[in-house]
């Protein structure tokens, strides 16, 4: 125990690697590192199998070719096209090439994939998938019924139990530890035991962020309440920019009015979208592949149908996803989870009646910028002339939804995120393993040469009681934040709205600065963890609003009414947002895969 | 409408708090979790866990009007005018509706829940371990467990011997691996259950099956395991 | 001495099944046998006849053995459930002892009363 200020004491631990996040990404990396014999700690604010990977439904993409011809090159093409050419082609190439092996490896770890008659992994069609570079529909999504995320997360957790990974379950990561001095060097993390509120310092030679998404910045979302972008907040506070934060995927088929996800698998298995006239309207928006167009396309189609008065229901505020024509056994065996969600939350059995759906905020394409090895990178001279030269932040890695490699660009294809988290989870682990072999020595940082005291000082405010009279609560602020983002940074955007978002977020930030806690209990203090999360949500929302406002074009999920076309001349580049001065800078997109000719941006039609 | 919640904080003695809820704030199709979140906005000290809010992460198991379940998939309107919430029975209470699931997780870990395939085959990433749809179908009903603890917490055999009896969830997990055609440790897994204090503590009163929010049937899985064990 | 950690699982379960089966068949036979006995009879006579003239006596000995098994497995299971762990070994041993004592007593009774 070392004491710093009077009140705050903390315990100290030493590890080779600390991984923050026990979702698919974190657990995959932990397993690889543990199997190499390193001393690994995984920190998670919930018990590992409660991480949001568990909710993933439809499946994971890999060109296994079990259900018809397939090649990783076609997967590469589809992903680049899906990303609206903002994805880095070298990164996407790595992911698509690794995919078959990665999926087979998961299968060997016990993931109970559904099977075809020949005993191989079952693959279904998902949006944006093609054979022969856009010619015909491919079936590339490997599925365990519609519980693929659950199957993968549990298998990874089981493997980690076997490997003996040390897990700090129900510990909240507050901030990254940094070595004082000129260079940015990350050397661990400050965490808090949620049950007891005790603080601990986990020193680590390498720190890996795998904290998942932040869908909670929008009111209607498909995300768990724990998806609050904590990793992004921590990175920002450590001085690291966030990349491509204007790109948020709104999944076309959320349960109307509630937001839970109805997987794309429903459309892959043959589901049809209908408007109030009963018309299967997707034919008008994507004549060739209809329901299986890329998500951004389908989402805009639904939003437009509703906007133009063809929405269903008394308020005309949703459309219908019709599965009633599908054979019953398809729904019962391939989509049991969807049926369960529909029955539970809507009282509707999709065997008998169509499901009311509306787009819901689902996935964050942006995140902490990394290279192909998961190392966090940033421009050497952010505002200088040569801003495209990137350097790695020593000691810091990021993977999974919180990272931006970028393999999803401006729009992610369904089934590519589960792939992303395992591929780059493994790659980052390999890179860390190599780094540990090369430099096995202990950290030279101590309390005095790190930012611990500054972090503890920042934390002090949560020990000050709130004025009992105040109306201001963490809950009211969060609701306000979600409303701002939904109103001003949703599916369709324009200058005026986004400017309002920026202004209102600024105001919210001031209010947040005045926020204190009503509950001072040390035992599972939910108000405090919510406040810590809100701080991160605010950081994410701000990065989103600023980045979106600046990007004067429509690309992928960023769809502007006032700039309705893609503008490769000026905007084929990644955004980087620096929080400290709310500054933006840009870096080029990688357009040169190693083992394939480059894909030149073309008009995107489905 | 009244919501009664059994509250506990180690600094004070336990009590049941009654919240009067104005029915105008209840929306159609509202889940119990939303109601709890609403109550917590007024009283942030109220303790309960939650995460995915759609019944797949298993965080919010609790005892609802005497029956274990997940608050996020329990409709408020089905619960009547008086809702009594208690922490999951059979576990040490940490705070309000938050219990210590440590013993539950330990049992899970103790059954070695991990696929053990033929090592030579497993090392080959060029190949899938094939499984026919029929073989795969055997896993249905056991792999879907979300470890919420509702079953074990409703099991008297588990209450009586929480340290020895693995409980329905862990036994369901055993079954998941025993019936997996890719696993080669079937015998060892069964042998590990062969004691007076393990699987044979189950009397098949089926509380677990009644409690499972995912509609799984641990009791039947345990029966099948016993059968396998006896016919070894 | 019995220790709870050494108690058998599958084997005990199996014996419990066998004994239950045997007793299920034996009990109706016992009822028939008893129904056929003359109304007035001395215990001594009864025991003598049982073992001297018909095989039912031997079936009864087996039934008793199975009953013991059944009582033991059922009883120990109940004790495992209900006794606090620190007293479990004591309880189990006392229970076993009492089963022995009853058997001894019964054996002694039979030998004592056997008329031939
Ligand atoms: C409903 C739904 C369905 C989906 N379906 C699919 C699909 O079919 N196919 C597909 O490819 N993708 C799908 N996705 C996307 C995909 O599931 C996610 O992008 C992916 O699982 C993210 O994994 P992750 O490991 O990065 O993060 P997560 O699984 O979200 O894990 C984050 C981890 O970080 C921890 N953490 C966060 N903050 C802190 C903190 N401050 N301190 C300590 N720990 C912290 C959490 O406890 C958790 O363990 C779906 C997403 C949703 C929401």
């Amino acid at each position: 125990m070392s004491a710093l200020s009077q009140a705050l004491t903390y315990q100290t631990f030493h590890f080779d690697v600390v991984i923050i996040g026990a979702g698919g990404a974190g657990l995959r990396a932990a397993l690889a590192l543990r199997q190499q014999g390193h001393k690994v700690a995984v920190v998670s604010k919930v018990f590992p199998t409660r991480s949001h990977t568990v909710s993933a439904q439809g499946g994971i993409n890999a060109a296994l070719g079990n259900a018809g011809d397939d090649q990783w090159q076609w997967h590469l093409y589809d992903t680049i096209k899906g990303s609206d050419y903002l994805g880095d082609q070298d990164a996407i190439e790595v992911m698509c090439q690794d995919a078959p092996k990665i999926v087979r490896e998961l299968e060997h770890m016990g993931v109970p994939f559904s099977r075809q008659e020949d005993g191989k992994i079952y693959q279904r069609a998902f949006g944006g998938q093609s054979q022969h570079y856009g010619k015909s529909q491919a079936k590339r999504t490997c599925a365990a019924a519609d519980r693929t995320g659950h199957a993968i997360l549990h298998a990874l957790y089981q493997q980690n139990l076997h490997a003996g990974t040390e897990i700090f379950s129900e510990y909240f990561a507050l901030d990254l530890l940094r070595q004082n001095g000129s260079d940015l060097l990350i050397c661990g993390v400050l965490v808090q035991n949620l049950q007891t509120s005790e603080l601990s310092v986990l020193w680590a030679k390498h720190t890996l962020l795998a904290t998942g998404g932040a869908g909670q910045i929008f009111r209607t979302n498909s995300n768990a309440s724990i998806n609050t972008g904590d990793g992004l907040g921590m990175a920002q506070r450590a001085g690291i920019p966030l990349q491509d934060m204007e790109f948020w995927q709104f999944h076309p088929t959320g349960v109307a009015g509630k937001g839970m996800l109805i997987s794309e698998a429903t459309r892959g298995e043959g589901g049809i979208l209908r408007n109030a006239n009963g018309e299967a309207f997707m034919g008008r928006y994507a004549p060739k592949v209809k329901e299986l167009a890329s998500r951004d396309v389908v989402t805009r189609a639904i939003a437009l149908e509703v906007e133009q008065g063809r929405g269903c229901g008394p308020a005309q505020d949703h459309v219908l996803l019709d599965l009633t024509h599908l054979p019953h056994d398809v729904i019962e065996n391939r989509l049991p989870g969807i049926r369960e969600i529909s029955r539970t939350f809507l009282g509707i059995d999709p065997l008998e009646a169509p499901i009311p759906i509306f787009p819901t905020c689902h996935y964050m394409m942006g995140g902490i910028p990394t290279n192909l090895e998961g190392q966090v990178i940033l421009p050497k001279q952010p505002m200088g002339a040569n801003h495209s030269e990137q350097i790695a932040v020593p000691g810091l890695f990021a993977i999974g939804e919180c990272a931006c490699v970028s393999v999803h660009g401006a729009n992610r294809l369904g089934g590519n995120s589960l792939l992303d988290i395992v591929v780059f989870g493994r790659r980052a682990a390999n890179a860390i393993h190599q780094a540990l072999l090369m430099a096995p020595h202990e950290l030279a940082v101590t309390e005095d040469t790190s930012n611990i005291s500054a972090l503890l000082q920042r934390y002090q405010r949560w020990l000050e009681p709130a004025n009992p009279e105040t109306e201001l609560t963490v809950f009211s602020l969060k609701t306000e934040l979600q409303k701002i983002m939904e109103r001003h940074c949703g599916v369709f955007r324009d200058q005026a709205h986004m400017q309002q978002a920026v202004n209102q977020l600024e105001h919210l930030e001031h209010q947040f600065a005045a926020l204190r806690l009503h509950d001072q209990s040390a035992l599972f203090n939910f108000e405090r963890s919510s406040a810590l999360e809100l701080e991160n949500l605010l950081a994410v929302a701000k990065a989103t609003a600023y980045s979106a406002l600046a990007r004067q074009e429509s690309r992928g999920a960023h769809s502007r009414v006032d700039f309705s076309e893609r503008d490769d001349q000026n905007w084929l580049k990644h955004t980087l947002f620096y929080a400290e001065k709310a500054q933006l800078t840009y870096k080029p997109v990688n357009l040169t895969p190693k083992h394939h000719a480059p894909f030149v941006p073309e008009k995107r039609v489905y | 409408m009244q919501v009664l919640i059994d509250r506990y904080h180690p600094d004070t003695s336990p009590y049941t708090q009654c919240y009067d809820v104005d029915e105008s704030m209840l929306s159609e199709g509202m889940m119990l979790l939303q109601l709890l979140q609403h109550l917590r906005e007024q009283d942030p000290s109220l303790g309960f866990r939650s995460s995915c809010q759609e019944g797949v992460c298993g965080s919010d198991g609790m005892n609802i009007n005497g029956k274990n379940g997940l608050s996020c998939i329990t409709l408020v309107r089905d619960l009547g005018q008086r809702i009594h919430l208690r922490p999951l029975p059979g576990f040490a209470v940490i705070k309000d509706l938050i219990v210590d699931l440590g013993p539950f997780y330990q049992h899970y870990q103790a059954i070695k829940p991990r696929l053990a395939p033929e090592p030579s085959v497993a090392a080959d990433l060029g190949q899938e371990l094939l499984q026919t749809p029929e073989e795969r179908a055997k896993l249905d009903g056991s792999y879907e467990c979300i470890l919420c603890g509702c079953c074990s917490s409703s099991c008297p055999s588990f209450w009586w011997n929480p340290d020895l009896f693995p409980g329905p969830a862990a036994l369901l997990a055993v079954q998941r691996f025993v019936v997996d055609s890719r696993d080669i440790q079937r015998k060892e897994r069964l042998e590990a259950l062969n004691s007076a204090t393990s699987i044979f503590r189950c009397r098949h009163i089926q509380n677990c099956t009644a409690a499972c929010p995912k509609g799984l049937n641990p009791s039947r899985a345990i029966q099948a395991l016993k059968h396998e064990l006896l016919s070894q | 001495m019995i220790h709870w950690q050494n108690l058998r699982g599958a084997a005990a379960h199996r014996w419990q099944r066998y004994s239950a089966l045997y007793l299920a068949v034996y009990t109706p036979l016992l009822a028939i046998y008893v129904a056929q006995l003359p109304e007035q009879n001395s215990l001594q006579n009864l025991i003598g006849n049982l073992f001297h003239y018909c095989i039912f006596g031997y079936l009864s000995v087996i039934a008793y053995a199975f009953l013991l098994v059944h009582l033991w497995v059922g009883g120990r299971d109940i004790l495992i459930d209900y006794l606090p762990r620190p007293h479990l070994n004591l309880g189990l041993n006392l229970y076993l002892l009492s089963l022995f004592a009853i058997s001894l007593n019964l054996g002694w009774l039979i030998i004592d009363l056997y008329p031939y």
Side-chain angles (χ1 to χ4, degrees):
Chain A
M1 277 290 184
S2 22
L4 213 112
S5 59
Q6 330 82 320
L8 291 172
T9 58
Y10 58 87
Q11 275 183 298
T12 323
F13 299 86
H14 289 268
F15 293 96
D16 291 332
V17 190
V18 167
I19 298 173
I20 307 160
L27 289 183
R28 183 65 195 88
L31 179 63
L33 285 162
R34 189 58 214 132
Q35 283 171 340
Q36 298 284 1
H38 301 299
K39 199 167 175 238
V40 187
V42 175
V43 181
S44 174
K45 59 181 173 178
V46 293
F47 180 76
T49 65
R50 327 244 182 257
S51 303
H52 202 50
T53 297
V54 83
S55 299
Q57 302 170 350
I60 173 167
N61 294 342
L64 295 175
N66 290 354
D69 271 357
D70 208 356
Q71 295 179 0
W72 67 262
Q73 290 89 341
W74 303 339
H75 186 187
L76 169 67
Y77 165 78
D78 291 340
T79 306
I80 293 170
K81 177 179 171 188
S83 80
D84 221 347
Y85 297 92
L86 192 73
D88 285 323
Q89 301 194 5
D90 58 343
I92 300 175
E93 178 184 42
V94 159
M95 179 175 82
C96 298
Q97 255 180 325
D98 276 4
K101 238 168 132 176
I102 282 286
V103 167
R104 282 193 285 263
E105 189 174 44
L106 286 174
E107 190 268 329
H108 293 186
M109 287 180 191
V111 175
F113 283 110
S114 302
R115 300 289 172 154
Q116 304 181 156
E117 280 308 320
D118 63 1
K120 291 187 171 169
I121 294 173
Y122 168 74
Q123 296 192 282
R124 60 162 58 107
F126 250 46
Q129 300 181 345
S130 76
Q131 295 170 313
H132 304 284
Y133 307 101
K135 293 240 160 49
S136 44
Q137 179 69 42
K139 292 186 171 179
R140 190 176 294 138
T141 305
C142 310
D146 55 359
R147 306 189 178 96
T148 316
H150 172 284
I152 291 178
L153 187 65
H154 278 251
L156 285 173
Y157 176 60
Q158 291 161 356
Q159 293 291 338
N160 272 285
L161 278 182
H162 178 73
T165 307
E166 191 164 338
I167 296 179
F168 287 70
S169 181
E170 301 195 322
Y171 276 70
F172 193 102
L174 296 168
D175 262 306
L176 295 171
L177 299 171
R178 248 171 54 188
Q179 188 172 32
N180 290 337
S182 55
D183 282 340
L184 194 56
L185 185 138
I186 304 299
C187 47
V189 62
L190 175 68
V191 301
Q192 181 163 44
N193 181 335
L194 285 171
Q195 179 176 337
T196 61
S197 292
E198 281 158 3
L199 296 169
S200 297
V201 164
L202 311 186
W203 294 111
K205 297 174 199 165
H206 298 278
T207 305
L208 177 58
L209 289 167
T211 55
Q216 287 296 331
I217 66 167
F218 290 92
R219 193 172 62 99
T220 306
N221 66 69
S222 67
N223 282 201
S225 52
I226 60 165
N227 281 13
T228 52
D230 300 346
L232 285 78
M234 284 187 264
Q236 271 203 346
R237 289 192 290 277
I240 292 155
L242 298 184
Q243 181 175 330
D244 294 341
M245 290 302 293
E246 60 271 45
F247 298 104
W248 283 86
Q249 178 163 80
F250 289 83
H251 194 290
T253 55
V255 170
K258 308 196 178 193
M260 301 84 193
L261 191 75
I262 301 293
S263 171
E264 187 162 332
T266 50
R267 282 171 288 135
E269 301 286 352
I272 294 173
L273 293 168
R274 296 185 192 282
N275 60 21
N277 309 330
E279 180 203 2
F281 58 83
M282 275 314 296
R284 278 190 275 116
Y285 299 89
K288 208 159 109 197
V289 297
K290 305 191 175 74
E291 271 72 12
L292 287 178
S294 197
R295 284 182 180 167
D296 54 337
V297 176
V298 183
T299 289
R300 279 193 290 273
I302 296 172
L304 279 173
E305 286 299 303
V306 167
E307 208 176 279
Q308 292 167 4
R310 291 189 292 277
C312 310
Q316 299 193 313
D317 59 355
H318 61 263
V319 298
L320 296 173
L321 174 62
D322 190 358
L323 305 178
T324 53
H325 57 287
L326 297 183
H328 285 194
D329 67 300
V330 168
I331 297 183
E332 279 157 11
N333 297 326
R334 303 280 187 227
L335 305 167
I338 294 304
R339 189 175 178 208
E340 203 178 305
I341 287 186
S342 176
R343 289 210 284 203
T344 308
F345 289 99
L346 293 160
I348 290 175
D349 188 341
L351 289 178
E352 285 150 18
I355 312 171
I357 57 97
F358 195 71
T360 178
C361 173
H362 182 58
Y363 184 84
M364 171 178 76
M365 268 76 73
I368 305 162
T370 73
N371 61 19
L372 300 188
E373 313 310 325
Q375 265 182 309
V376 174
I377 50 172
L378 69 188
K380 196 166 178 194
Q381 302 164 295
M383 308 301 154
N386 185 10
H387 58 255
S388 64
E389 194 188 338
Q390 307 290 313
I391 50 164
V393 178
L396 187 63
F397 290 73
I399 48 170
E401 193 168 336
C402 73
C404 183
V405 190
S406 127
V407 285
H408 308 302
N411 171 62
R412 170 174 79 89
L413 290 189
N416 265 355
S417 172
L418 287 177
L419 180 61
D420 166 16
I421 66 178
V422 264
V423 166
F424 290 98
R426 205 166 182 283
R427 283 183 75 87
N430 285 345
I432 294 172
H433 171 60
Q434 293 305 330
L436 282 169
L437 289 184
M438 300 219 314
H441 46 67
E442 291 304 317
L443 277 173
V445 194
T446 64
E447 282 163 31
D448 304 328
T449 59
S450 76
N451 62 338
I452 292 184
S453 50
L455 295 183
L456 294 180
Q457 211 140 40
R458 252 174 60 77
Y459 178 79
Q460 286 282 0
R461 80 182 256 204
W462 303 120
L463 302 175
E464 297 162 16
N467 175 358
E469 305 299 306
T470 177
E471 294 273 294
L472 202 68
T473 67
V474 56
F475 308 108
S476 66
L477 287 184
K478 181 174 171 187
T479 310
E480 186 56 30
L481 170 79
Q482 293 179 325
K483 275 195 201 145
I484 295 172
M485 293 308 284
E486 183 147 291
R487 233 178 282 143
H488 304 308
C489 280
V491 177
F492 291 110
R493 300 167 171 178
D494 64 32
Q495 169 85 23
H497 275 102
M498 288 188 290
Q499 187 60 56
Q500 277 189 37
V502 166
N503 298 346
Q504 291 178 7
L505 285 174
E506 214 116 284
H507 177 62
L508 209 63
E509 239 182 356
H510 287 305
Q511 287 182 303
F512 181 79
L515 184 73
R516 297 293 182 274
L517 301 182
H518 296 266
D519 181 16
Q520 289 296 338
S521 159
L523 197 65
F524 275 111
N525 187 325
F526 180 79
E527 192 187 16
R528 189 191 55 227
S529 52
S530 299
L532 294 167
E533 289 176 342
L534 181 60
E535 182 171 28
N536 297 321
L537 281 175
L538 255 170
V540 171
K542 210 173 140 190
T544 299
Y546 274 91
S547 307
L549 181 61
R551 186 175 280 272
Q552 297 186 331
E553 64 158 351
S554 288
R555 182 185 296 273
H558 176 65
S559 179
R560 286 188 65 153
V561 183
D562 44 358
F563 295 92
S564 60
E565 293 300 314
R566 194 175 81 197
D567 175 2
D568 291 331
Q569 201 82 53
N570 297 307
W571 289 102
L572 185 58
K573 56 187 180 186
H574 295 295
T575 310
L576 290 174
F577 174 75
Y578 280 88
E580 217 176 287
K581 295 188 198 128
Q583 263 172 333
L584 290 160
T585 173
Y586 294 88
K587 72 173 182 185
V589 176
N590 180 297
L591 297 171
T592 48
K594 276 212 180 77
H595 307 284
H596 199 290
F599 291 89
V600 186
E602 287 170 5
K603 194 164 167 57
R604 218 163 134 245
V605 270
Y606 283 100
Chain B
M1 194 178 90
Q2 284 185 330
V3 182
L4 301 158
I5 301 182
D6 283 9
R7 306 222 31 194
Y8 171 75
H9 190 289
D11 295 347
T12 54
S13 41
Y15 62 100
T16 300
Q17 184 163 0
C18 179
Y19 296 88
D20 284 305
V21 175
D22 181 3
E23 269 169 71
S24 65
M25 61 135 302
L26 300 181
S27 57
E28 172 62 23
M30 188 180 200
M31 295 294 168
L32 178 60
L33 177 62
Q34 289 169 283
L35 180 55
L36 278 171
Q37 284 166 340
H38 180 80
L39 295 177
R40 184 164 58 185
E41 284 176 19
Q42 268 120 57
D43 174 5
S45 71
L46 180 59
F48 58 89
R49 293 188 178 102
S50 78
S51 174
C52 78
Q53 320 182 74
E54 55 181 26
V56 286
C57 79
S59 296
D60 59 341
M62 57 185 71
N63 186 277
I64 306 161
N65 283 348
K67 188 172 179 272
N68 291 350
L70 301 177
S71 69
C72 62
I73 52 171
T74 301
L75 282 165
V76 175
R77 76 165 121 82
D78 293 347
L79 296 174
Q81 283 302 304
R82 226 173 114 91
I83 304 174
H84 198 150
L85 304 177
R86 302 177 177 88
L88 282 180
F91 295 111
V93 181
I94 297 173
K95 174 185 180 178
D96 301 339
L97 301 174
I98 302 176
V99 295
D100 179 7
L101 285 171
F104 176 78
Y105 296 141
Q106 273 157 22
H107 280 298
Y108 179 70
Q109 182 164 2
I111 64 108
K112 305 208 170 89
R114 173 195 75 114
L115 188 76
E118 191 67 60
S120 59
V121 192
D124 178 6
L125 294 185
Q127 299 288 328
E128 294 173 23
L129 304 173
L130 299 183
Q131 199 170 40
T132 65
E134 293 71 37
E135 286 169 336
R136 167 60 182 75
K138 290 188 185 153
L139 302 185
D140 286 334
S142 57
Y143 84 90
E144 301 95 324
C145 171
I146 56 172
L147 298 178
C148 63
C150 287
C151 58
S152 296
S153 154
S154 67
C155 171
S157 300
F158 189 74
W159 299 338
W160 291 325
N161 291 293
D163 54 341
L164 297 176
F165 179 54
L171 290 170
L172 187 67
V174 178
Q175 167 75 352
R176 181 247 169 276
F177 291 100
V178 164
V179 297
D180 194 321
S181 60
R182 300 169 292 176
D183 194 87
I184 59 165
Q185 286 185 346
R186 187 172 163 281
K187 238 179 121 183
E188 292 83 341
R189 294 182 193 282
L190 290 171
E191 210 33 59
L193 302 179
N194 193 0
S195 88
T197 50
S198 183
I199 190 168
F200 292 103
R201 297 290 81 233
C202 169
R203 267 62 174 280
H204 299 282
I205 61 161
Q206 318 231 4
N207 267 13
C208 52
T209 302
C212 179
K214 303 305 284 180
L216 308 179
N217 193 337
S219 176
R220 190 163 55 202
I222 296 171
Q223 191 72 65
L225 281 174
K226 282 184 182 172
H227 191 81
E228 291 290 316
L229 195 52
L230 290 174
S231 54
Q232 275 230 47
Chain C
M1 285 294 275
I2 296 279
H3 194 286
W4 62 264
Q5 276 168 330
N6 302 330
L7 297 176
R8 309 281 292 273
H13 189 80
R14 215 174 268 132
W15 280 103
Q16 186 79 334
R17 288 284 162 98
Y18 296 150
S19 56
L21 215 69
Y22 186 90
L23 291 172
V25 176
Y26 170 81
T27 321
L29 290 180
L30 178 67
I32 296 169
Y33 179 80
V34 171
Q36 283 171 350
L37 290 178
E39 234 158 76
Q40 298 278 312
N41 214 337
S42 74
L43 191 59
Q44 203 175 23
N45 226 340
L46 208 89
I47 290 173
N49 286 341
L50 206 55
F51 288 99
H52 205 70
Y53 295 116
C54 73
I55 79 153
F56 194 70
Y58 299 98
L59 292 183
S60 301
V61 172
I62 298 174
Y64 183 72
F66 271 133
L67 186 64
L68 276 182
V69 168
H70 205 79
L71 282 174
W72 166 241
V73 177
R76 63 161 216 180
D77 280 1
I78 292 171
L79 293 178
I80 293 173
D81 283 350
Y82 289 108
L83 274 192
R85 190 73 37 77
H87 308 312
L88 183 54
N89 279 332
L90 180 68
L92 286 169
N93 282 296
L94 282 180
Y95 178 54
L96 194 63
L97 210 65
S98 63
L99 289 182
F100 267 123
I102 294 169
S103 306
L104 272 179
N105 192 284
L106 210 68
W108 181 75
L109 188 77
I110 290 171
I111 292 164
D112 197 44
L113 293 179
Y114 192 63
Y116 299 98

